[in-house]
Amino acid sequence: MEQFVVHGGNPLVGEVEISGAKNAALAILAAAIMTDETVVIENLPDVRDINIMLDALSDIGAHVDRIDRHTAKINGSTIRSLSVDYEYIRKIRASYYLLGALLGKFKEAEVALPGGCVIGSRPIDLHVKGFKSLGANVEISFGLISAKADKLVGNHIYMDKVSVGATINVMMAAALAEGKTIIENAAKEPHVVDVANLLNAMGANIRGAGTDVIRIVGVEKLHGAEYSVIPDQIEAGTFMCAAAATKGDILVKNVIPKHLEATSAKLIEAGCSIEEFDDAVRVVANKPLTSTSVTTLPYPGYPTDMQPQITAVLAIANGTSVVTESIFENRFKYIDELNRMGSNIQVEGNVAIVKGVEKYTGAEVCAPDLRAGAALVIAGLAAEGFTIVDDIHFIQRGYENFEVKLAGLGAEIAKVSSDKELTKFMMKVS
Ligand code: UD1
């Protein structure tokens, strides 16, 4: 079983290159099968969720050619199954994107109900509502969600809640529906825009992605394209928080600074300086960290996927911070682990009261999910002594070469898979 072992205390210093956005890439890979022509996707992150999605595409018959670590050539003309295997679905929630993609293209799809990180109840009623509005019959039975339509017809759809997944899923299906679809109260996240840009490059007619209202005029078919995935704002934000927690000074490269504004704003409030360049941000943490309050909200608000990482920073800031999670109700499971490292955080419902402590102390902790796992690594980097993080398969779902990139910034961290390797690392650094 692999673990990360971290010897904390080194400020992160240097430059780090950010990979493609996992969450954008997952939807983009699904959208790529909506044409019979070849679609080339570049800047794919080489992480577990992406590899699972590529396997799922192959499994239903699409031709997938991994040209190199970050590029895949996909051809959906050979798809022979409209039912996506449970084995894959169980592992990643984003497999639900195959429902929108297959329904749009073949007017029929069946996908096992999605898994992913257990960060709270994750309903799919809005996806269902959207597909039904386009004229599909949608049924959930035996752990499968199936959707079928004689034809899809555009409609006016109001999303009762801002949902990234439902917005993208409905947008994909509507791209190949007859007539005009309007999605109101749409999610505005950068990856919604990225998927719309890909679909438009494939011949779709989608306007307004990135605003509350997306207008789609259905087209008969889509064609091939070459497309590069946007940089991962959450990976970038994670490194920014790691720099803050370790009193570091890093240049985070290959990013879109606009996508990082919420994280930058909170780090500035916490006492860091942030310098923005065209495609990079520099984070300098040379003053004492101070408390602030954070509430997660849909984009452009503070991202829920960055909540654990900023909490890991605020836990060692002067004063008391309040972190409110308003998207997923079960996203504070890592707090017990963080408190085992010396933090003083109390959770009341969806609010964490973070009383800043002077320092973390190393401990053996367990990553409960992807982003919380990253937060525990951040705490380990700032801690006195050794921290061992178990269950790192969660972290590997979404961070490419996490430990390698951190080591490149001067962190003492290694991925180990045996007690022998663990002891060897500890002997080497102590
Ligand atoms: C996506 C991201 C996830 C991120 C989240 C919010 C992917 C693969 N995952 O998840 O990392 O944390 O956006 O930025 O891109 N909801 C409903 N009914 C639905 C769908 C959602 O009530 O049908 C609710 C959810 O419970 C949640 C809120 O809407 O409270 C937002 O969820 P949503 O944006 O859909 O998250 P995901 O797309 O699952």
Side-chain angles (χ1 to χ4, degrees):
M1 185 107 109
E2 290 182 331
Q3 299 167 311
F4 283 142
V5 52
V6 188
H7 184 240
N10 284 4
L12 296 191
V13 177
E15 297 183 356
V16 62
E17 190 88 24
I18 296 307
S19 301
K22 169 188 84 88
N23 286 347
L26 287 166
I28 279 173
L29 289 175
I33 59 168
M34 294 178 71
T35 169
D36 282 344
E37 296 180 17
T38 298
V39 176
V40 180
I41 307 295
E42 292 163 3
N43 203 30
L44 286 172
D46 184 12
V47 295
R48 237 169 238 189
D49 276 14
I50 294 298
N51 297 329
I52 290 170
M53 181 59 107
L54 288 167
D55 284 348
L57 297 184
S58 292
D59 203 52
I60 56 171
H63 189 80
V64 176
D65 184 4
R66 189 76 174 259
I67 300 174
D68 61 40
R69 195 168 174 204
H70 298 121
T71 312
K73 210 184 217 183
I74 291 152
N75 188 297
S77 65
T78 48
I79 288 174
R80 53 179 188 275
S81 167
L82 303 181
S83 174
V84 184
D85 190 62
Y86 180 71
E87 177 68 22
Y88 296 116
I89 283 299
R90 197 158 40 88
K91 295 184 187 151
I92 55 166
R93 180 167 168 83
S95 320
Y96 55 41
Y97 288 134
L98 291 167
L99 205 60
L102 292 171
L103 179 66
K105 185 176 184 193
F106 299 102
K107 314 299 171 231
E108 187 178 343
E110 182 181 70
V111 175
L113 283 168
C117 280
V118 189
I119 53 179
S121 117
R122 299 189 72 171
I124 49 163
D125 55 304
L126 296 170
H127 303 238
V128 173
K129 174 181 170 177
F131 294 145
K132 283 187 173 167
S133 304
L134 297 176
N137 279 318
V138 185
E139 276 181 27
I140 296 179
S141 55
F142 302 108
L144 291 167
I145 169 163
S146 51
K148 197 171 176 176
D150 292 333
K151 61 175 182 173
L152 295 175
V153 181
N155 206 342
H156 200 129
I157 300 162
Y158 175 78
M159 294 287 176
D160 303 274
K161 229 176 158 178
V162 177
S163 161
V164 176
T167 301
I168 292 178
N169 234 343
V170 172
M171 189 170 77
M172 289 197 288
L176 287 173
E178 284 177 21
K180 190 169 178 178
T181 297
I182 298 175
I183 305 175
E184 294 221 50
N185 199 26
K188 295 181 280 204
E189 267 69 0
H191 38 304
V192 176
V193 181
D194 211 28
V195 180
N197 286 344
L198 165 73
L199 287 168
N200 284 340
M202 292 167 69
N205 182 348
I206 302 171
R207 298 285 168 263
T211 74
D212 294 321
V213 184
I214 300 180
R215 294 184 163 79
I216 304 150
V217 180
V219 296
E220 218 166 282
K221 60 180 188 171
L222 298 171
H223 54 70
E226 276 187 33
Y227 194 78
S228 183
V229 177
I230 50 166
D232 197 314
Q233 53 154 341
I234 306 300
E235 188 198 10
T238 301
F239 279 97
M240 292 166 74
C241 286
T246 60
K247 312 266 188 303
D249 177 350
I250 68 169
L251 186 69
V252 185
K253 291 164 69 175
N254 183 34
V255 297
I256 300 173
K258 172 115 193 88
H259 295 169
L260 299 169
E261 274 172 359
T263 299
S264 297
K266 287 297 149 187
L267 288 178
I268 291 168
E269 285 172 24
C272 301
S273 343
I274 309 271
E275 203 178 343
E276 287 187 2
F277 302 92
D278 285 349
D279 61 354
V281 291
R282 181 173 173 205
V283 184
V284 183
N286 55 8
K287 286 188 286 206
L289 293 168
T290 48
S291 59
T292 185
S293 291
V294 178
T295 300
T296 62
L297 285 170
Y299 188 85
Y302 189 86
T304 173
D305 284 357
M306 281 298 305
Q307 179 261 103
Q309 301 91 316
I310 194 81
T311 304
V313 175
L314 297 176
I316 46 169
N318 291 326
T320 299
S321 304
V322 179
V323 178
T324 307
E325 172 56 57
S326 74
I327 312 285
F328 294 112
E329 73 273 17
N330 201 9
R331 222 169 178 171
F332 283 130
K333 282 180 304 170
Y334 63 97
I335 296 293
D336 285 344
E337 296 298 271
L338 217 52
N339 283 345
R340 292 180 54 232
M341 296 179 68
S343 65
N344 180 357
I345 308 174
Q346 266 181 315
V347 177
E348 312 248 339
N350 68 336
V351 177
I353 313 291
V354 185
K355 291 192 179 137
V357 295
E358 204 182 305
K359 61 172 192 220
Y360 288 112
T361 45
E364 180 158 357
V365 290
C366 221
D369 62 61
L370 166 59
R371 306 304 171 184
L376 294 173
V377 172
I378 291 174
L381 293 168
E384 185 180 322
F386 285 99
T387 296
I388 297 167
V389 183
D390 293 321
D391 283 345
I392 63 167
H393 57 94
F394 283 116
I395 302 173
Q396 291 165 333
R397 287 185 44 202
Y399 290 92
E400 179 177 318
N401 282 348
F402 196 36
E403 74 287 6
V404 177
K405 290 186 185 185
L406 287 168
L409 294 167
E412 290 182 314
I413 180 170
K415 184 172 68 187
V416 296
S417 44
S418 65
D419 283 348
K420 202 172 147 198
E421 283 177 21
L422 180 66
T423 315
K424 198 172 147 198
F425 173 82
M426 288 175 147
M427 303 259 287
K428 192 176 116 195
V429 300
S430 50

